[in-house]
């Protein structure tokens, strides 16, 4: 499966347009940092840096990683891929994961923008925990990409909704302010959303206030695992639908 | 071809141009309908845009200022118009990818006019979503907007959106030659707008950022919209400044997009989809 | 021994509003080892549906199919290990990857270990004349080279059966000829080939057996020689410099089709052998030039079996 990861990394590195979200979305941190400086709220710098990081990770997954299957279908590579002895699903998961993982360095990038560009006190109190949570969250985001890629093929017209998958989820995950400020019914949904847990845990780990993080990390891992399972099941269903003729091999 | 120097000839030329423009508008509407149904527009796209406004408004909560929350919400709701106008960059590149651009170029119509009319649905979409946001968001957040001022605010927003549309056509001229840059151009411009035009943060007051802000669409118009919303009397200064900026970008669009199209015909580069 | 065999194979699709569309019906055929079966028929005849079922990409709704001794429905993995698919056209490869990167990726998907994958990839690049450009992106390749990469990909798993769907579609004549030479070599080495094509010359040049298919059913199948011998199509006589008077005499012969072109050129299709003799006599007597008689080819077989549904006037 290293071959699949390597192949996907080369494929993306050679498609400058696919790197656009990763190159541009972190720059939202400029907007956030400028607002903080203007309102003399420098203490919130790490929070908004993490916001920009998670926005980049998520949008890269929604707009790039989630396109992997459909791109294979459009370019005609789905057919030969399906003919390989049952490894395509695994290869897809690795490729989507690789694409998503390319968003991880953005964490360092936004922290540096805050520190060097604005002289803001961005700091990570518990780097180890932060990295672990960031990696788990990235895995969850990759699982989301798998799920979206499957749904986009199964449900006619779902593609029109791709653009709608960003800000509503940023709000739901409490990327700027904790989900506590959301209305009660929405808050209940947010509690089941791995990104909300990841975002809060990241903020706490950065601030050094994540005491007793073990159970929270375990909960995050469990939510991510469920998500991943769901993503793989949906994709397996898509690939099976191709065989029964319900889904076209070509887009 | 009628003689433009006679009044009748000029009328004929104008009427043809207008008709081509009208057809472009109709086809642009059709493209939009192919992309969205009413349900997916209202349940997906509109909800996303309202969430976008609310998301940036929560930044005000983080800043601990109700006033900032309201101002950011207003700025982002109004900006939906000019931001949507950037969609024409993608649809113009899409025209090249689908191979229809070549056919537009071989017709007798002015290709710039055709392309300019083909993306106008983005402006209409932006005006519609911006109007809904300006009407709905004040119900949820303390937005400084007097309802009686809404029509005047929207009228200014139309001018702002058209200015942004002209800037977007200029970018489309670049994107036609370098399609791989499309996302960088639109996403970069979005961030430039948010950062410099007074939408989420104050307009920069000095140096290069201030000079850039002065020639970008939105800056002058949004300041006027904020004043009008707060009940201040109408002032011509910012309106004229915004109109001048729109005109400037209109000329730039004609130069870059028009030039890109002429160059494409000369060198045959548009055959590369 | 049959390498590909189908028994009353059928496939229906549910179209909009629950309408049932039959894409394939009662298809029974066998292909022996080392045979090249040409699948001929118009667009929408069912050729692609048949090759999709044989490649396990689509499930049949009735009948059975076995490839290399394994049922395509119950043992798809076994079938996939033994087949290679070659598609025509621009699609089907990652244009932004090099030829070698493409092949390495598919070798990994085929389950080959790294060493075997590298050895096979190198071997195929060399054998298919791609070694010099192995490090270049596929998007910079000509159609002929892209097609060779397709073939290399199909051969990675050392397949017993190659299924080719219009492989030379859009290729220039030189590339197409080169590609056919490769297919002949494979055939001679014992690979069984199922070839879908619109190109009658290609089919005639490559196929040992033919199946003519339309409306989802096989209308005629058998060895290429037998089908050509059976066809009752007319011979075609062409000549130039035919005086107008002689051309009119030809047109007057019973049951004879005559087309007239510039410079006294005529194309004549006599009804039978007797008329053919009379046509030739008229042409020789009129001192016509470049007289030639062509035996019916696969095009005539195709036209006599498959009805023309688009250009009926």
């Amino acid at each position: 499966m290293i071959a699949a990861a390597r192949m996907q990394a080369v494929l993306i590195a050679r498609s400058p347009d696919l790197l656009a979200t990763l190159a541009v979305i972190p720059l939202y941190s400029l907007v956030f940092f400028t607002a903080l400086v203007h309102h003399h709220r420098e203490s919130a710098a790490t929070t908004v840096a993490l916001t920009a990081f998670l926005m980049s990770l998520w949008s890269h997954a929604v707009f790039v990683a989630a396109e992997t299957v459909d791109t294979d279908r459009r370019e005609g590579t789905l057919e030969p891929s399906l003919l390989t002895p049952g490894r395509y699903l695994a290869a897809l998961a690795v490729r989507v994961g690789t694409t998503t993982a390319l968003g991880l360095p953005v964490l360092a990038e936004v922290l540096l923008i805050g520190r060097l560009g604005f002289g803001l006190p961005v700091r990570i109190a518990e780097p180890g925990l932060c990295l672990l949570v960031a990696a788990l969250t990235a895995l969850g985001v990759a699982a989301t990409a798998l799920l979206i890629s499957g749904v986009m093929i199964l449900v006619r017209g779902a593609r029109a909704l791709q653009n709608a998958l960003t800000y509503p989820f940023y709000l739901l995950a409490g990327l700027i302010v904790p989900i506590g400020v959301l209305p009660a019914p929405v808050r209940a949904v947010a509690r089941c959303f791995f990104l909300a847990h990841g975002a809060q845990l990241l903020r706490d780990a950065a601030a050094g206030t994540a005491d007793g993080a073990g159970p929270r990390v375990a909960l995050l891992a469990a939510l991510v695992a469920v998500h991943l399972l769901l993503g793989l099941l949906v994709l397996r269903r898509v690939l099976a639908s191709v065989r029964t003729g319900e889904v076209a091999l070509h887009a | 071809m009628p003689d433009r120097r006679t009044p009748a000839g000029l009328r004929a030329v104008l009427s043809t141009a207008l008709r081509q423009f009208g057809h472009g508008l109709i086809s642009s509407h059709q493209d939009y309908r192919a992309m969205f149904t009413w349900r997916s527009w209202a349940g997906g796209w509109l909800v996303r845009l309202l969430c976008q406004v609310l998301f940036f408004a929560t930044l005000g909560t983080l800043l601990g200022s109700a006033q900032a929350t309201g101002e950011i919400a207003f700025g982002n709701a109004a900006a939906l118009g000019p931001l949507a106008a950037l969609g024409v960059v993608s649809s113009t590149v899409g025209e090249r990818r689908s191979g229809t651009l070549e056919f537009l170029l071989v017709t007798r119509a002015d290709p710039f006019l055709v392309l300019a009319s083909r993306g106008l649905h983005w402006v209409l979409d932006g005006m519609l979503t911006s109007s809904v946001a300006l009407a709905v968001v004040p119900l949820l957040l303390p937005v400084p907007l007097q309802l009686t001022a809404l029509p005047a605010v929207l009228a200014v927003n139309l001018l702002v959106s058209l200015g942004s549309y002209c800037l977007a056509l200029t970018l489309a001229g670049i994107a036609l030659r370098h399609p791989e840059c499309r996302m960088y151009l639109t996403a970069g411009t979005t961030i430039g707008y948010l950062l410099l035009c007074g939408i989420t943060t104050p307009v920069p007051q000095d140096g290069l950022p201030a000079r850039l802000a002065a020639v970008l669409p939105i800056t002058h118009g949004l300041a006027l919209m904020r004043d009008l919303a707060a009940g201040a009397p109408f002032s011509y200064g910012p309106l004229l400044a915004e109109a001048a900026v729109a005109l400037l970008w209109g000329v730039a669009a004609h130069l870059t997009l028009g030039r890109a199209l002429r160059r494409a015909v000369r060198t045959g580069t548009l055959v590369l989809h | 021994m049959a390498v590909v065999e189908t028994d009353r194979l059928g496939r229906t699709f549910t179209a909009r509003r629950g309408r049932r569309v039959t894409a394939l019906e009662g298809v029974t055929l066998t292909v022996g080892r080392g045979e090249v079966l040409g699948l001929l028929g118009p667009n929408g005849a069912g050729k692609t549906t048949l090759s999709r079922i044989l490649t396990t990409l689509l499930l049949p709704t009735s009948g059975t199919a076995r490839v290399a001794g394994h049922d395509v429905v119950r043992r798809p993995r076994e079938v996939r290990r033994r087949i290679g698919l070659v598609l025509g056209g621009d699609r089907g490869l990652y244009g932004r990857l090099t030829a070698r990167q493409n092949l390495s990726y598919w070798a990994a998907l085929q389950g080959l270990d790294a060493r075997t994958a590298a050895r096979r990839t190198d071997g195929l690049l060399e054998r298919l004349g791609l070694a010099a450009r192995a490090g270049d992106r596929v998007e910079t390749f000509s159609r002929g080279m892209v097609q060779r990469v397709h073939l290399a990909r199909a051969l990675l798993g050392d397949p017993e059966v190659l299924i080719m769907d219009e492989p030379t579609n859009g290729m220039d004549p030189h590339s197409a000829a080169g590609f056919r030479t490769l297919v002949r070599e494979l055939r001679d080495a014992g690979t069984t080939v199922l070839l879908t094509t619109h190109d009658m010359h290609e089919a005639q040049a490559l196929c040992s057996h033919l199946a003519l298919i339309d409306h989802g059913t096989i209308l005629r199948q058998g060895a290429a020689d037998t089908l050509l011998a059976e066809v009752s199509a007319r011979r075609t006589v062409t000549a130039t410099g035919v005086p107008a008077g002689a051309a009119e005499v030809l047109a007057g012969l019973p049951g004879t089709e005559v087309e007239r072109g510039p410079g006294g050129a005529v194309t004549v299709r006599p009804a039978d052998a007797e008329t053919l003799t009379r046509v030739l006599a008229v042409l020789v007597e009129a001192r016509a030039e470049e007289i030639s008689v062509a035996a019916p080819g696969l095009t005539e077989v195709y036209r006599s079996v498959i009805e023309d549904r688009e250009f009926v006037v």
Side-chain angles (χ1 to χ4, degrees):
Chain A
M1 285 298 107
I2 298 168
R6 201 171 44 208
M7 167 269 191
Q8 187 69 7
V10 173
L11 207 56
I12 293 203
R14 288 188 181 165
S15 320
D17 43 333
L18 295 184
L19 287 169
T21 35
L22 271 191
V24 181
I25 305 297
L27 299 183
Y28 274 95
S29 64
L30 297 176
V31 179
F32 299 150
F33 289 141
T34 308
L36 291 191
V37 171
H38 180 75
H39 287 88
H40 308 292
R41 283 280 291 161
E42 285 81 357
S43 58
T46 313
T47 298
V48 295
L50 293 173
T51 306
F53 162 61
L54 292 172
M55 281 171 76
S56 308
L57 204 59
W58 181 269
S59 53
H60 184 57
V62 167
F63 292 114
V64 183
E67 292 284 328
T68 312
V69 190
D70 209 35
T71 308
D72 271 4
R73 204 158 70 125
R74 265 199 314 275
E75 304 211 329
T77 42
L78 182 61
E79 267 170 274
S81 302
L82 284 174
L83 282 184
T84 56
R87 287 160 187 270
Y88 182 54
L89 186 61
L92 261 185
V94 171
R95 286 172 58 198
V96 168
T98 308
T99 309
T100 310
L102 292 176
L104 282 172
V106 169
L107 180 56
E109 184 186 339
V110 288
L111 292 174
L112 281 176
I113 292 176
R115 176 78 59 88
L116 302 178
F118 289 78
L120 288 167
V122 284
R123 56 183 282 274
I124 300 285
E126 297 179 54
L129 180 61
C130 243
L131 271 182
L132 174 68
V133 175
L136 269 178
T137 309
L139 192 62
V141 171
T144 309
L146 282 176
L147 189 63
I148 298 170
S149 63
V151 171
M152 276 203 307
I153 292 180
L154 273 185
V155 183
R156 197 187 286 259
R159 175 161 283 278
L161 295 177
Q162 192 180 17
N163 265 320
L165 295 175
T166 50
Y167 286 96
F169 288 90
Y170 299 162
L171 268 184
L172 190 66
L175 288 197
I176 291 186
V177 287
I179 56 171
V181 302
L182 295 173
V186 185
R187 202 161 53 217
V189 178
R191 284 198 202 291
C192 308
F193 187 27
F194 78 92
L195 192 60
H197 288 271
Q200 190 57 47
L201 203 45
L202 263 183
R203 280 195 290 261
D204 293 346
T209 55
D211 297 329
R216 291 174 64 192
V217 173
L219 177 63
L220 175 65
L223 286 173
V224 167
V226 170
H227 222 61
L228 195 58
L229 196 68
L230 200 64
L232 286 172
L233 283 178
V234 167
L235 259 189
R236 211 174 67 159
R237 161 98 172 74
V238 169
L239 300 184
S241 309
V242 170
R243 241 191 130 200
T244 54
E246 292 166 60
V247 167
L249 272 167
H250 305 284
Chain B
M1 196 78 178
D3 186 356
R4 288 177 198 223
R5 284 166 300 185
T6 65
L10 190 63
R11 260 204 308 279
V13 169
L14 282 178
S15 124
T16 309
L18 212 62
R19 248 181 322 121
Q20 287 165 355
F21 202 75
H23 281 296
L25 200 60
I26 292 168
S27 62
S28 114
H29 171 67
Q30 294 299 346
D31 284 356
Y32 200 68
R33 284 188 50 179
M35 204 159 52
F36 288 118
T37 61
W38 266 109
R39 253 194 302 178
S40 67
W41 183 85
W45 185 230
L46 185 63
V47 167
R48 173 237 142 110
L49 293 173
L50 291 176
C51 285
Q52 180 176 332
V53 175
L54 293 176
F55 175 75
F56 282 104
T58 56
L59 191 62
T61 313
L62 186 72
L63 298 171
S65 156
Q67 193 195 344
T69 304
E71 283 172 0
I72 294 175
F74 181 86
N76 278 278
L80 292 182
L83 284 175
L86 297 177
V88 73
V89 182
S90 302
S91 55
T92 306
V93 174
E95 201 99 58
R96 173 183 164 158
R97 289 214 170 118
S98 64
T100 43
L101 191 58
E102 287 164 70
F103 294 98
L104 291 180
L105 288 177
V106 298
T107 62
R108 272 198 257 169
D110 175 2
F112 173 73
L113 203 65
V114 172
L115 279 184
S117 57
R118 288 271 298 142
L120 269 177
H121 58 276
W122 293 111
V123 176
L124 297 179
D125 171 74
M127 286 308 298
L128 197 58
T129 51
S130 185
S131 310
V132 174
L134 283 170
V136 170
V137 175
L139 303 176
L140 307 170
L141 297 170
V143 176
L145 170 65
Q146 297 182 0
L147 228 57
T148 48
L150 195 56
V153 166
L154 291 178
V156 177
N157 205 10
L158 179 61
L159 175 66
V160 171
S161 300
L162 286 173
S164 175
Y165 185 65
C166 290
L167 184 144
L169 285 175
T170 312
L171 297 180
I174 302 170
L176 268 188
R177 288 179 63 179
H178 307 284
E180 68 284 357
C181 295
R182 175 182 64 89
M183 280 287 288
Y184 290 92
L185 291 171
T186 47
T189 307
T190 302
I191 291 186
Y193 278 169
L194 287 176
L195 203 56
L196 298 171
C197 299
I199 296 167
T200 305
T201 56
V203 177
Q205 291 306 311
D206 44 38
L208 182 65
R211 266 176 284 172
L212 267 175
V215 294
L216 279 180
I218 307 179
T219 312
H220 307 285
L222 183 58
L224 179 59
M225 281 190 269
R226 286 193 191 280
D227 286 348
L228 289 172
F234 184 82
S235 61
Y236 279 103
L239 185 75
L240 290 176
E242 186 68 41
V245 168
L247 194 67
L248 176 83
W249 285 107
V251 173
H254 196 261
L255 287 177
T256 55
L257 185 56
R259 200 168 147 259
L261 294 171
R262 281 193 299 277
R263 187 178 172 280
V265 172
R266 207 174 55 238
T267 58
T269 42
L270 285 189
V271 183
L272 300 164
H273 301 304
Chain C
M1 179 193 148
V3 178
V4 177
E5 50 185 331
T6 70
D7 183 23
R8 286 163 289 167
L9 197 63
R11 170 76 212 198
T12 55
F13 290 97
T14 310
R16 278 185 197 169
R17 293 181 199 146
R19 200 166 56 88
R20 305 289 288 173
V21 178
T22 303
L24 213 59
E25 194 176 9
V27 168
T28 300
L29 55 80
T30 52
V31 190
R33 184 168 305 281
E35 286 181 5
V36 180
L37 174 75
L39 214 53
L40 310 179
N43 291 327
K47 307 188 297 286
T48 302
T49 304
L50 179 55
S51 40
R52 296 264 186 284
I53 292 175
L54 294 178
T55 48
T56 75
L57 287 173
L58 185 68
L59 293 170
T61 43
S62 61
T64 57
R66 295 169 73 81
V67 174
H70 297 282
D71 188 283
V72 293
V73 177
R74 280 175 288 151
R75 312 285 301 273
R77 284 183 188 218
E78 296 301 321
V79 173
R80 286 172 198 179
R81 271 183 231 287
R82 289 163 176 81
I83 57 169
L85 174 68
V86 181
L87 300 172
D90 283 331
R91 295 149 45 94
L93 290 165
Y94 294 99
R96 285 188 165 125
L97 298 184
T98 65
R100 190 188 298 280
Q101 282 167 336
N102 263 293
L103 294 182
S104 304
Y105 171 64
W106 260 289
L109 284 189
Q110 280 289 352
L112 302 181
D113 63 78
R115 191 177 297 174
T116 316
R119 189 166 40 79
R120 281 264 170 94
T121 302
D122 285 342
L124 283 167
L125 286 167
E126 190 65 47
R127 180 172 161 204
L128 298 184
L130 290 163
R133 298 280 309 270
D136 294 350
R137 293 189 196 191
V138 168
E139 65 191 1
T140 65
F141 284 11
S142 67
R143 180 64 70 83
M145 291 179 73
V146 168
Q147 216 45 44
R148 277 182 275 158
V149 183
H150 268 290
L151 187 57
R153 189 243 320 268
L155 294 176
L156 274 171
D158 204 6
E160 287 175 47
V161 184
L162 267 180
I163 294 173
M164 304 188 165
D165 198 352
E166 297 181 30
T168 54
N169 194 6
M171 272 162 92
D172 66 67
H174 285 306
S175 308
F179 189 80
R180 281 174 208 142
T181 307
L182 287 170
V183 176
R184 265 188 224 106
E185 286 172 17
L186 288 166
R187 175 194 67 190
D188 297 344
T191 309
T192 306
V193 180
L194 196 103
L195 173 77
T196 300
T197 184
H198 278 303
D199 185 336
M200 295 304 134
H201 296 291
E202 177 166 286
Q204 200 157 353
L206 287 178
C207 300
S208 56
H209 291 72
L210 296 165
L212 284 92
I213 181 168
D214 197 12
H215 301 299
T217 53
I218 291 188
L219 300 178
R220 188 83 64 87
Q221 64 172 317
D225 306 343
T226 319
L227 282 181
L228 281 169
E230 274 175 11
V231 71
S232 58
R234 305 170 176 202
R235 280 165 167 62
T236 305
V237 183
T238 54
T240 59
V242 182
E248 271 159 34
V249 173
L250 291 174
L253 295 173
T256 304
E257 295 169 19
V258 179
E259 286 168 30
R260 296 165 71 165
V266 291
T267 305
V268 190
R269 289 186 192 85
D272 47 39
E274 191 184 329
T275 323
L276 172 66
T277 317
R278 288 177 63 189
V279 167
L280 290 175
V282 171
L283 287 173
V284 170
E285 203 169 300
R287 296 183 184 279
E289 295 151 17
E290 297 178 34
I291 304 168
S292 71
V293 182
L298 212 43
T299 308
E300 281 70 31
V301 176
Y302 181 95
R303 292 182 63 172
S304 70
V305 175
I306 308 264
E307 71 178 53
D308 184 352
R309 39 185 185 210
E310 284 178 26
F311 292 99
V312 179
V313 277

